[in-house]
């Protein structure tokens, strides 16, 4: 205390108590804001998990009960719920935009000051203080980074579940086309923004988990068109589609579908003029129970115990007929 007698002592006590109250108020406000932010993030994550549950219920109706009557209403309910979840995320950005900017800016500034003090402080006794202060600031930064990463992962898992959970082989062509809407919607940008910067931008492939580092939609489209190992081009109409759907596409959807027929033995799609030659090939063999036939390498893809199509197309020792996998491997090695 600078004043130890008379009114000076009382003034110093007043300043001391006032400082404690201000520090306590700032501490409570900071903890409250960070805690509320965490609860908001987990609330949004909970909505994404509900959406994943809705998709699995829709898939179960078709796969187990062959119920196609409720499909349109289920997809409509999913889209409506997903739209409300996206609005919730937008409201979170509006509520926390300025807070995120100030928190991250001040934390980065404090880290710069601490690093400067650490490099110029000759008193080694202050090192523990610098260490714990840096750890506290870093943990506060991680809270917001965790929020952005959490939303990104939840959206990725939702998009992945839409593709993997649906029994595509049992769905009508109109139902498959309708499911493109949820797939495209889950590719919408999910981000936490701090006014002038974005904490997280989600722009990744739902099939192979490739992500655009620059957040450019054209890069994602180019990835679909040229390099995604989960996709291929129809040899007749050049439409980009899943490898797993190529056999069905050639016999049911392609513009030259009248020229193709499904082999009764191996279930592959074969040109009618080459059908007799096809049945003489070694790879034309009976399809095992619970398996699908890969149109690229003619191997059996066991579903779903060994990972199914994802393991077959994405693993290093996977489909030998997948030219996109080979080009990806050669590109990475070069």
């Amino acid at each position: 205390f600078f004043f130890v007698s008379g009114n000076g002592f009382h003034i110093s006590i007043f300043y001391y108590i006032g400082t404690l109250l201000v520090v306590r108020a700032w501490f409570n406000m900071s903890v409250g804001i960070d805690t509320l932010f965490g609860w908001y993030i987990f609330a949004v994550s909970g909505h994404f998990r509900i959406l994943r549950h809705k998709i699995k219920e829709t898939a179960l109706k078709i796969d187990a009960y062959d119920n196609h009557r409720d499909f349109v209403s289920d997809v409509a309910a999913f889209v409506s719920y997903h739209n409300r979840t996206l609005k919730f995320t937008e409201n979170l950005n509006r509520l926390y935009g300025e807070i995120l900017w100030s928190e991250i800016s001040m934390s980065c500034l404090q880290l710069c000051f601490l690093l400067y003090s650490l490099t110029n402080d000759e008193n080694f006794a202050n090192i523990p203080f610098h260490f714990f202060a840096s750890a506290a600031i870093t943990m506060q930064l991680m809270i917001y980074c965790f929020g952005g990463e959490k939303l990104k992962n939840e959206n990725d898992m939702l998009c992945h579940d839409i593709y993997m959970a649906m029994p595509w082989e049992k769905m009508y062509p109109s139902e498959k086309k309708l499911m493109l809407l949820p797939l495209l919607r889950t590719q919408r940008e999910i981000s936490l923004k701090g006014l002038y910067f974005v904490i997280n931008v989600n722009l990744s492939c739902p099939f192979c988990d490739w992500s655009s580092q620059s957040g450019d939609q054209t890069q994602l489209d180019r990835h679909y068109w040229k390099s995604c190992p989960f996709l291929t081009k129809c040899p007749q109409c050049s439409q980009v589609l899943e490898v797993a759907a190529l056999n069905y596409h050639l016999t049911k959807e392609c513009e030259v579908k009248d020229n193709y027929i499904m082999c009764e033995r191996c279930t592959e799609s074969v040109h009618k003029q080459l059908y007799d030659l096809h049945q003489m090939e070694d790879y034309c063999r009976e399809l095992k129970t619970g398996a699908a036939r890969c149109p690229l390498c003619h191997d059996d893809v066991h579903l779903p115990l060994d990972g199914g199509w994802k393991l077959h197309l994405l693993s290093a020792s996977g489909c030998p007929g997948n030219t996109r996998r080979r080009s990806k491997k050669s590109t990475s090695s070069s």
Side-chain angles (χ1 to χ4, degrees):
F1 299 107
F2 294 102
F3 303 98
V4 294
S5 62
N7 293 331
F9 177 77
H10 298 290
I11 293 175
S12 61
I13 290 293
F14 174 77
Y15 283 148
Y16 180 74
I17 295 176
T19 302
L20 287 179
L21 292 176
V22 170
V23 171
R24 178 65 181 271
W26 276 103
F27 175 79
N28 290 339
M29 184 176 66
S30 178
V31 172
I33 291 174
D34 294 345
T35 303
L36 187 61
F37 176 80
W39 282 113
Y40 277 139
I41 292 297
F42 278 101
V44 177
S45 301
H47 288 301
F48 275 109
R49 294 183 182 183
I50 292 174
L51 287 168
R52 290 163 57 192
H53 180 70
K54 288 179 177 291
I55 284 295
K56 292 178 180 178
E57 282 188 335
T58 303
L60 183 63
K61 288 181 181 179
I62 297 177
D63 191 21
Y65 306 107
D66 197 26
N67 180 4
H68 297 265
R69 297 189 305 272
D70 302 332
F71 182 79
V72 175
S73 60
D74 289 343
V75 173
F78 172 88
V79 172
S80 177
Y81 198 100
H82 185 249
N83 187 49
R84 293 198 299 270
T85 304
L86 293 180
K87 288 183 178 179
F88 192 0
T89 306
E90 294 174 0
N91 292 334
L92 179 62
N93 275 322
R94 283 196 292 268
L95 177 63
Y96 268 85
E98 294 84 357
I99 297 175
L100 288 173
W101 178 83
S102 60
E103 288 273 6
I104 294 179
S105 299
M106 291 300 297
S107 297
C108 292
L109 188 62
Q110 288 174 344
L111 282 177
C112 292
F113 286 150
L114 283 173
L115 290 175
Y116 177 80
S117 300
L118 182 62
T119 55
N120 292 275
D121 194 350
E122 298 180 355
N123 187 359
F124 292 101
N126 292 329
I127 292 180
F129 166 76
H130 292 303
F131 173 77
F132 286 111
S134 301
I137 297 172
T138 304
M139 287 182 63
Q140 191 173 27
L141 280 174
M142 289 175 61
I143 292 175
Y144 297 104
C145 294
F146 169 79
E149 187 66 20
K150 181 71 173 174
L151 293 184
K152 174 184 180 299
N153 291 338
E154 291 292 344
N155 194 65
D156 287 345
M157 287 189 289
L158 174 60
C159 193
H160 177 268
D161 282 358
I162 291 176
Y163 181 77
M164 299 302 294
M166 298 304 297
W168 301 99
E169 71 281 358
K170 297 182 180 180
M171 296 170 61
Y172 301 144
S174 59
E175 293 174 339
K176 294 181 180 180
K177 293 179 181 179
L178 187 60
M179 283 305 299
L180 291 176
L181 178 61
L183 277 173
L184 291 175
R185 287 183 61 85
T186 53
Q187 283 301 299
R188 290 185 60 179
E189 178 181 315
I190 301 295
S191 61
L192 291 179
K193 299 179 181 179
L195 293 184
Y196 306 112
F197 54 84
V198 177
I199 296 178
N200 175 62
V201 175
N202 175 38
L203 201 61
S204 60
C205 175
F207 307 110
C208 66
D209 298 330
W210 175 90
S211 59
S212 172
Q213 299 298 327
S214 62
D216 188 0
Q217 178 66 41
T218 58
Q219 288 190 3
L220 184 62
D221 295 337
R222 193 180 304 114
H223 168 77
Y224 289 148
W225 183 254
K226 291 185 176 181
S227 58
C228 179
F230 230 88
L231 305 177
T232 188
K233 289 183 183 179
C234 172
Q236 298 296 330
C237 65
S238 297
Q239 177 181 337
V240 176
L241 70 163
E242 300 92 332
V243 174
L246 180 58
N247 283 325
Y248 181 88
H249 169 79
L250 285 171
T251 56
K252 300 294 184 180
E253 299 175 340
C254 186
E255 58 189 21
V256 294
K257 61 184 179 181
D258 294 336
N259 296 332
Y260 280 82
I261 188 174
M262 185 183 71
C263 178
E264 297 179 356
R265 183 189 302 163
C266 66
T267 70
E268 287 195 47
S269 55
V270 185
H271 198 282
K272 291 180 179 179
Q273 297 179 356
L274 303 176
Y275 187 76
D276 294 335
L277 293 176
H278 167 79
Q279 290 199 322
M280 297 172 60
E281 297 287 350
D282 294 336
Y283 57 77
C284 181
R285 56 189 182 276
E286 291 289 340
L287 188 66
K288 297 179 181 178
T289 304
R293 182 60 53 84
C294 176
L296 303 181
C297 67
H298 314 292
D299 285 342
D300 289 340
V301 180
H302 298 279
L303 308 174
L305 298 179
D306 65 345
W309 286 104
K310 191 168 186 178
L311 179 63
H312 179 71
L313 295 173
L314 301 184
S315 63
S317 59
C319 179
N322 191 346
T323 56
R324 294 189 175 196
R325 184 184 65 87
R326 289 203 299 268
S327 62
K328 180 180 179 181
K329 184 177 180 181
S330 61
T331 302
S332 60
S333 61
S334 60

